[in-house]
Amino acid sequence: MSEPAYIQDIGGYEGKTVTVQGWVADKTDKGKLQFLRVRDGTGVIQATLFQKAVPPEAFDLAKHVAQESSVVVTGEVRKEPRAPGGYELSVSDMHAVQLARGEFPITPKEHGIEFLMQNRHLWLRSSRQHAILRIRATIIRAIRNWLDDNGFLLVDTPILTPAAVEGTTTLFETDFYGEPAFLTQSGQLYNEANAMAFGKVYCFGPTFRAEKSKTRRHLSEFWMVEPEWAFGTLDDYMNVAEQMVSYVVQTVLQERATELKALERDTTFLEKIVPPFPRISYDEAVEIIRARGDANFKWGDDFGAPDETLISEQFDRPVFVHHYPTDMKAFYMAPDPIRPAVCLSADLLAPEGYGEVIGGGQRSDNLEYLEAQLLKHNLPRAPYEWYLDLRKYGSVPHCGFGLGVERTVAWICKLDHVRETIAFPRMLEKIMQ
Ligand code: 4AD
Ligand code: MG
């Protein structure tokens, strides 16, 4: 048998005979000539069969093989500028691993989103999904590389937790040996313990929120990266986040040009993503909304998606909105020492209408303030006792943030909805697969 090869490496085999193992994506019948498009997960290659050049069984197979049958194709790698990818396989033999049983549900024609979601397990084989999920993988790797190279230690945080981090309304409750436990909403509280132990840390994992409304930006299960560090301030957080986000975008531009092109992404917007990012206060953001959108926007209200779009439209890069009203944000946010009605928090809003991709800020390092905040937010003290300990033994100013992977992928790929940014999305819907 000739050498097995992956399609992504095929250029290195020009003139040689190789074996490609994959699936039939598509085919064209030209009588004595059969063209198959074979996909192996790393790419797609055109396989050309001349009736005279292959055994009769192989030719017959090519003529009748259904879409998404699995096949092993042997042939010589030839440069072919007209073929997608620039190479083709001049086939000498081919056999089937499994012939598809019936017509593949997803054909090149347009399908509705409902149907595609029901067939998500098969839809993943399409070139659009390949582009998106490859970009996702690159984004995740770039995030990890940046943090690892900048002194952040990966410390994993638990998924089963006893208490809320981001409010009690979106908790997923489970049964933990007869006691209630919740799927993690954020690793942050543990990150704070870890930062006091290791200085600069991050966690990166699945995060759960029972989001009871259907939007383009919300999943019930999403992936969040959360860096946290001791002796850090609100400004430090914004400096770190803008470096990290810029590195991620530039890495995708360098490494995933083909995929961005497949998605018809206009990259001029992405090329501009370099530090520094503009920074405006919540007060200034409210002024923008009142001047250009809702004249009656009330100070203290949260921004809706159209408000965020309006704010981000004023800038060509992501924009930090800082000093949100204290009452709007989670219990742990440090109040501004001069103006306690606002807190040392900031969100990063992505351009092109993508809204919040990062939430973060400086945490309160004051024991009495946090005790009062637990009461104010109606949170029971017992599950937070360990968290309060961090303010008893060498409490220091510290900060951190959380970046949502799916919203970042949606923005970089310019997708309408987060559902395509993860292989098997969990949303306010029945779990199908
Ligand atoms: O703003 P959030 O709720 O912040 C936190 O959880 C902090 N504890 C993070 C920290 O400081 N360590 O969430 C952070 C980010 C959001 O900006 C968004 O990108 C993403 O997580 N996110 C979601 N993504 C998809 N679906 C959802 N339901 C999301 N909720 C938050
Ligand atoms: Mg937020």
Side-chain angles (χ1 to χ4, degrees), residues 166 209 329 346-347 356 358-360 407:
E166 298 294 327
R209 307 252 174 115
K329 288 289 179 186
D347 285 355
E356 182 200 332
I358 291 182
R407 289 192 193 172

Side-chain angles (χ1 to χ4, degrees), residues 287-326:
E287 286 312 312
I288 292 173
I289 294 168
R290 286 182 184 158
R292 295 165 192 263
D294 176 5
N296 300 316
F297 186 91
K298 211 165 103 258
W299 193 94
D301 279 355
D302 209 346
F303 302 135
D307 304 318
E308 286 186 349
T309 303
L310 203 62
I311 298 163
S312 64
E313 268 170 10
Q314 316 304 312
F315 307 96
D316 63 355
R317 306 165 202 214
V319 52
F320 286 107
V321 179
H322 53 77
H323 288 91
Y324 280 87
T326 307

Side-chain angles (χ1 to χ4, degrees), residues 77-193:
V77 178
R78 290 232 296 246
K79 225 188 182 112
E80 173 50 75
R82 285 167 302 176
Y87 293 92
E88 68 165 14
L89 270 189
S90 188
V91 178
S92 48
D93 204 357
M94 163 176 163
H95 68 263
V97 180
Q98 194 237 3
L99 292 174
R101 301 187 185 201
E103 198 186 332
F104 192 65
I106 301 173
T107 55
K109 73 166 195 217
E110 288 276 313
H111 295 284
I113 188 69
E114 195 86 347
F115 177 83
L116 290 169
M117 289 310 293
Q118 276 164 14
N119 288 287
R120 182 68 177 161
H121 54 295
L122 303 176
W123 190 21
L124 292 173
R125 301 182 188 194
S126 79
S127 56
R128 176 181 162 86
Q129 301 310 313
H130 287 185
I132 296 168
L133 293 181
R134 285 210 169 87
I135 290 171
R136 176 190 170 102
T138 299
I139 289 171
I140 291 173
R141 191 164 49 76
I143 290 169
R144 288 191 184 278
N145 285 350
W146 194 89
L147 291 168
D148 293 342
D149 292 347
N150 282 277
F152 289 84
L153 182 74
L154 172 70
V155 185
D156 299 314
T157 53
I159 286 173
L160 291 166
T161 64
V165 185
E166 298 294 327
T168 51
T169 56
T170 61
L171 284 172
F172 271 111
E173 192 172 324
T174 66
D175 176 87
F176 191 77
Y177 307 113
E179 293 289 324
F182 309 101
L183 299 181
T184 181
Q185 278 179 322
S186 159
Q188 184 195 317
L189 305 188
Y190 301 97
N191 270 345
E192 293 184 51

Side-chain angles (χ1 to χ4, degrees), residues 237-301:
Y237 141 48
M238 293 192 279
N239 294 340
V240 166
E242 70 187 7
Q243 294 291 335
M244 189 183 94
V245 168
S246 303
Y247 174 79
V248 168
V249 173
Q250 296 310 318
T251 303
V252 173
L253 281 171
Q254 274 171 28
E255 298 182 6
R256 292 293 178 201
T258 311
E259 286 77 9
L260 290 169
K261 196 157 171 242
L263 295 170
E264 295 175 4
R265 176 57 158 128
D266 181 351
T267 53
T268 51
F269 288 98
L270 298 177
E271 280 150 20
K272 294 183 195 137
I273 312 300
V274 285
F277 295 170
R279 300 175 185 191
I280 63 169
S281 66
Y282 173 86
D283 292 351
E284 289 166 322
V286 168
E287 286 312 312
I288 292 173
I289 294 168
R290 286 182 184 158
R292 295 165 192 263
D294 176 5
N296 300 316
F297 186 91
K298 211 165 103 258
W299 193 94
D301 279 355

